[in-house]
Amino acid sequence: ELTFREHDPQEQERRDKSRTFWKMYELAEGFYQQNLGAPVGGQCREYLEQRKLSPEVANHFALGWSEQSWDKLRLFLERQGYSKELGAECGLLSKNEKGNIYDRFRARLMFPIRNVPNQVLAFGGRVLISDEPKYINSSDSLIYKKGEHLYGLVQARRAITATRTALLTEGYMDVLSLHQFGYENSCGVLGTALTPQQVKRLAGFCSVVELLFDGDRAGRKAALRSSEMILLAGLRCRVVLMPEGEDIDSLLQTHGPEAFEE
């Protein structure tokens, strides 16, 4: 049934602004990637080596590095013709109560978050050298709502469609480890509880979801909540329980895919 809606004179303005935000995120992705390969990214490269993450996977997921600076990205965006106010509005920069605008991500390993059409619309960042929260994401914006997207879905889409099965996990590094060990149909929930919108997005590509959450009590509770949501959406669901104290990354890197398969 076709429905009709009133013409919205602001719709074109929102579309234009969305295109601007996507361009800014694309530029920021290149900026962070360049940092990772430069001398300033040495500490981050060491961290990736310690985590035994291959350069191929890091490159495939376009990982990057944000320097421990308050204005490097802000100045870069301004040189490209984008104001700091626009940077704050799209979630790349932050604004404090005094009105000062500064880089949102500092001293962090950067994970670009993409939509299914393969546009960068947000970042996740893991801190390496300060006592700030371990992970932060871009704030919600015109182009990004945290509960609507899945990390790595664009990289996993082809394998999910081929197998009709999605491996769903909690963390960024878990997704990267799974892809490194050949489980290319895996994606992550972006550090939040699974949402109906994320389940609906997955349902467009598969009929089975396998949940790979941590083996601790919180992980098992999250898996139970998520499985109910998945089943109600008409998908089949399996919950793979990790051994107590293990997560996907530690199990694969320490004991190999054989232990993971078991």
Side-chain angles (χ1 to χ4, degrees):
E1 182 182 344
L2 297 180
T3 57
F4 294 89
R5 59 189 175 130
E6 293 295 320
H7 172 66
D8 183 354
Q10 295 180 317
E11 187 170 342
Q12 186 60 46
E13 185 183 333
R14 284 196 296 272
R15 284 181 185 171
D16 292 343
K17 187 167 274 191
S18 293
R19 281 193 283 268
T20 299
F21 285 0
W22 282 319
K23 182 61 181 175
M24 291 171 74
Y25 270 94
E26 182 187 333
L27 288 167
E29 180 190 52
F31 176 76
Y32 289 137
Q33 264 195 297
Q34 195 170 12
N35 281 350
L36 183 59
V40 293
Q43 185 169 11
C44 190
R45 292 195 301 274
E46 285 175 22
Y47 172 78
L48 293 176
E49 284 176 22
Q50 288 167 9
R51 296 294 297 260
K52 300 178 182 175
L53 192 73
S54 72
E56 291 76 22
V57 170
N59 190 55
H60 184 51
F61 282 82
L63 302 187
W65 169 246
S66 58
E67 291 184 63
Q68 194 172 23
S69 163
W70 293 91
D71 63 0
K72 285 287 172 68
L73 181 66
R74 177 176 67 80
L75 294 172
F76 169 76
L77 290 173
E78 286 178 345
R79 286 197 297 272
Q80 306 302 314
Y82 300 102
S83 70
K84 59 186 180 183
E85 289 77 16
L86 210 53
E89 190 180 344
C90 77
L92 284 169
L93 307 177
S94 291
K95 189 175 186 177
N96 64 17
E97 294 171 358
K98 296 179 180 178
N100 296 323
I101 295 175
Y102 52 91
D103 288 7
R104 179 176 179 83
F105 299 97
R106 301 179 303 282
R108 290 180 183 270
L109 168 60
M110 300 298 292
F111 303 90
I113 298 165
R114 294 175 173 273
N115 58 14
V116 174
N118 204 18
Q119 296 159 310
V120 186
L121 68 168
F123 286 99
R126 188 201 192 283
V127 74
L128 295 190
I129 52 176
S130 80
D131 56 359
E132 291 186 23
K134 189 175 178 181
Y135 282 96
I136 61 170
N137 282 349
S138 296
S139 55
D140 281 6
S141 70
L142 179 64
I143 60 172
Y144 176 65
K145 299 290 182 288
K146 190 162 55 175
E148 294 180 1
H149 300 276
L150 292 153
Y151 178 65
L153 181 59
V154 68
Q155 289 89 348
R157 182 176 62 173
R158 185 176 294 177
I160 290 173
T161 305
T163 60
R164 301 299 296 164
T165 300
L167 305 185
L168 186 62
T169 184
E170 292 176 293
Y172 296 101
M173 292 303 293
D174 288 336
V175 173
L176 298 180
S177 286
L178 284 163
H179 277 258
Q180 181 162 313
F181 280 88
Y183 298 93
E184 295 181 357
N185 58 330
S186 47
C187 54
V189 294
L190 288 170
T192 61
L194 186 67
T195 67
Q197 293 95 327
Q198 290 171 324
V199 174
K200 187 177 179 181
R201 205 168 284 271
L202 272 180
F205 301 106
C206 66
S207 54
V208 181
V209 176
E210 298 190 351
L211 292 172
L212 304 168
F213 287 2
D214 290 351
D216 59 15
R217 190 177 174 187
R220 294 183 182 210
K221 278 182 72 175
L224 277 172
R225 281 196 307 271
S226 300
S227 59
E228 184 179 357
M229 200 182 300
I230 291 163
L231 292 168
L232 285 170
L235 298 168
R236 285 185 289 144
C237 181
R238 295 174 64 201
V239 178
V240 182
L241 295 176
M242 296 289 127
E244 187 73 40
E246 294 273 14
D247 59 25
I248 296 159
D249 185 49
S250 65
L251 194 65
L252 282 169
Q253 297 287 4
T254 308
H255 305 289
E258 298 79 14
F260 179 69
E261 285 293 330
E262 190 182 329

